[in-house]
């Protein structure tokens, strides 16, 4: 009995007011766990568990080699980083959007239960294929609200769009969009992002006065040239496009047909957005 009481006391200490247990949250009358949609594939559930992390990373979790330029660099980047690591990246907020219904949030229809997509670039006029997506999740929004901060999509758009920021959070490779990212599908005319790598979830956002000195003179055309050269190389290489398609299909084979269709529909909608 004494051991049981000590265990309960320890849990209450860990999950106290500063560390709430958000493993299961409720959207309307629906409970949603860390794995998101309970009917999803094992690959989707694993991806959603990573998306729904809400503990802040510790100093030992950070990969110091991750930066926005490193994430944007052309080339197959599936294994470039580690999704068990965290990162701090600096970028210009090109856009802030609602994520809409997603499996990670159990397809909730309440906008408060939707992720916020923040698109970062190295300048204000970069194309979609030169942007990295970082995401604020409902769980982090709840934690920030408890701390007196407003992380709703509307508020983040008002505060952040058009500004330079430092974003902190966990690394994630959003595999289901592997055919719609420039690094993994070079030259695809409907790509809507640079890479599948994200900072997701975002745990901290810091407004900056302006760009770091080394980025102040960045020209998007220089990255455009590198991306086009890489895409042309793939196109001209023997079995280049077939090899890329084979690699991407192998990654997507872990997901259900519906999950892949949902990803394609989301990508088509994102591509059409300004």
């Amino acid at each position: 009995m004494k051991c049981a009481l000590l265990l309960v006391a320890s849990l209450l200490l860990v999950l106290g007011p500063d560390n709430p247990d958000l493993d299961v949250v409720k959207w309307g009358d629906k409970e949603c766990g860390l794995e998101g949609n309970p009917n999803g594939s094992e690959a989707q559930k694993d991806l959603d568990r990573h998306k729904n992390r809400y503990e802040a990373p510790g100093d030992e979790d950070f990969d110091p080699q991750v930066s926005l330029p490193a994430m944007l660099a052309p080339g197959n980047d599936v294994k470039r980083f580690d999704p068990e690591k965290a990162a701090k990246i600096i970028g210009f907020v090109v856009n802030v959007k609602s994520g809409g219904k997603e499996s990670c949030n159990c397809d909730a229809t309440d906008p408060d239960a939707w992720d916020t997509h923040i698109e970062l670039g190295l300048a204000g006029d970069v194309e979609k294929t030169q942007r990295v997506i970082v995401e604020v999740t409902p769980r982090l929004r709840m934690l920030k609200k408890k701390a007196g901060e407003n992380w709703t999509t509307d508020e983040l758009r008002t505060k952040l769009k058009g500004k330079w920021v430092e974003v902190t959070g966990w690394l994630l490779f959003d595999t289901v969009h592997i055919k719609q990212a420039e690094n993994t599908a070079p030259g695809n005319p409907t790509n809507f992002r640079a890479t599948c790598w994200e900072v997701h979830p975002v745990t901290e956002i810091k407004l900056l006065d302006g760009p770091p000195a080394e980025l102040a003179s960045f020209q998007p055309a220089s990255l455009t040239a590198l991306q086009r050269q890489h895409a042309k190389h793939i196109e001209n290489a023997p079995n280049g496009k077939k090899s890329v398609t084979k690699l991407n299909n192998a990654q997507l084979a872990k997901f259900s047909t519906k999950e892949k269709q949902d990803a394609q529909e989301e990508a088509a909608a994102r591509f059409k957005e300004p």
Side-chain angles (χ1 to χ4, degrees):
M1 177 63 75
K2 185 176 180 180
C3 289
L5 289 173
L6 286 173
L7 176 60
V8 170
S10 298
L11 287 172
L12 288 174
L13 180 62
V14 172
L15 302 174
D18 296 328
N19 298 286
D21 184 355
L22 297 178
D23 284 5
V24 178
V25 293
K26 199 167 185 178
W27 311 129
D29 60 354
K30 181 187 294 185
E31 289 189 340
C32 188
L34 294 177
E35 66 181 17
N37 189 336
N39 299 317
S41 67
E42 288 306 312
Q44 186 68 57
K45 288 179 182 178
D46 181 62
L47 184 60
D48 289 345
R49 277 190 288 267
H50 281 78
K51 290 181 177 183
N52 285 325
R53 291 173 286 188
Y54 57 90
E55 303 86 356
D59 291 344
E60 71 282 358
D61 294 313
F62 285 89
D63 182 347
Q65 301 211 42
V66 181
S67 64
L68 194 59
M71 298 174 82
L72 290 167
N76 185 342
D77 59 356
V78 174
K79 302 294 185 182
R80 187 173 286 179
F81 306 118
D82 183 350
E84 303 305 325
K85 290 291 187 179
K88 287 182 185 287
I89 64 173
I90 292 174
F92 182 88
V93 179
V94 181
N95 213 344
V96 180
K97 306 174 181 178
S98 171
K101 291 170 59 177
E102 296 180 273
S103 71
C104 55
N105 301 319
C106 299
D107 297 315
T109 57
D110 182 354
D112 286 340
W114 295 349
D115 291 358
T116 300
H117 292 200
I118 301 171
E119 298 179 359
L120 299 182
L122 294 176
D125 55 347
V126 295
E127 299 293 332
K128 287 185 173 69
T129 51
Q130 294 188 21
R131 302 178 194 176
V132 168
I133 297 171
V134 303
E135 301 199 27
V136 168
T137 64
R139 284 173 172 82
L140 263 297
R141 190 177 296 129
M142 293 166 69
L143 289 175
K144 291 301 178 181
K145 183 177 181 180
K146 186 177 179 65
E149 297 183 54
N150 186 343
W151 271 25
T152 62
T153 298
D154 287 344
E155 185 69 11
L156 290 173
R157 184 186 299 113
T158 299
K159 287 184 176 180
L160 304 181
K161 188 173 179 180
K163 307 287 181 59
W164 282 88
V165 296
E166 179 187 73
V167 170
T168 301
W170 293 100
L171 289 164
L172 176 112
F173 189 82
D174 200 354
T175 312
V176 290
H177 290 304
I178 200 168
K179 288 189 174 183
Q180 297 113 24
E182 186 65 26
N183 285 0
T184 45
N188 174 17
T190 58
N191 283 339
F192 75 100
R193 57 198 296 162
T195 174
C196 288
W197 282 104
E198 304 176 351
V199 175
H200 186 172
V202 171
T203 56
E204 293 293 340
I205 304 172
K206 179 182 177 182
L207 272 171
L208 304 178
D209 293 332
E214 62 272 18
L215 293 179
S217 60
F218 172 78
Q219 297 297 318
S222 59
L223 180 54
T224 299
L226 285 175
Q227 289 176 324
R228 288 178 178 173
Q229 185 177 17
H230 179 65
K232 194 68 176 178
H233 171 77
I234 296 294
E235 182 180 348
N236 293 336
N239 294 318
K241 285 193 171 182
K242 287 183 179 180
S243 176
V244 168
T245 299
K246 184 177 179 180
L247 288 171
N248 290 346
N249 285 343
Q251 292 289 327
L252 290 173
K254 308 167 189 175
F255 296 86
S256 72
T257 299
K258 183 181 184 306
E259 289 161 353
K260 289 181 280 191
Q261 288 174 341
D262 288 346
Q264 289 175 346
E265 290 172 5
E266 180 191 352
R270 296 292 177 193
F271 178 75
K272 293 177 183 177
E273 291 174 347

